[in-house]
Amino acid sequence: MTAEKIIKALNKYIAFYERDHVPERFPADEQMPTENGAYMHALWMCREAKTFAVKNPEKAMRWLCFVQGVLWAVGGWTIDEFKDDNR
């Protein structure tokens, strides 16, 4: 996946979080975060990953995958939707 595609997917998820007025937070305070806590941390990860996606796309992809895992776990997206985002 190219840096441009990673950034496009991250922007999509940022828009999702902002639409729901999720505040950003780092670090996650809980060992097992609540749904909202997971969203807050994932939003922070999205914004941070955009800052290094061009220079380090492999790391940005790992962070993107974590964010997608959070969204899948709480029912925000389906696996098929992630496949479309990652094409």
Side-chain angles (χ1 to χ4, degrees), residues 35-46:
E35 179 178 323
N36 197 43
Y39 273 2
M40 288 188 282
H41 188 72
L43 174 57
W44 173 84
M45 288 184 74
C46 287

Side-chain angles (χ1 to χ4, degrees), residues 44-85:
W44 173 84
M45 288 184 74
C46 287
R47 290 194 175 129
E48 283 295 306
K50 283 178 58 177
T51 68
F52 57 77
V54 172
K55 290 185 179 181
N56 194 343
E58 294 84 12
K59 180 178 178 181
M61 185 65 189
R62 288 192 302 272
W63 284 41
L64 172 65
C65 291
F66 180 90
V67 169
Q68 288 175 333
V70 169
L71 288 169
W72 179 79
V74 296
W77 261 271
T78 66
I79 298 298
D80 288 334
E81 289 171 311
F82 293 134
K83 287 179 186 177
D84 289 339
D85 292 344

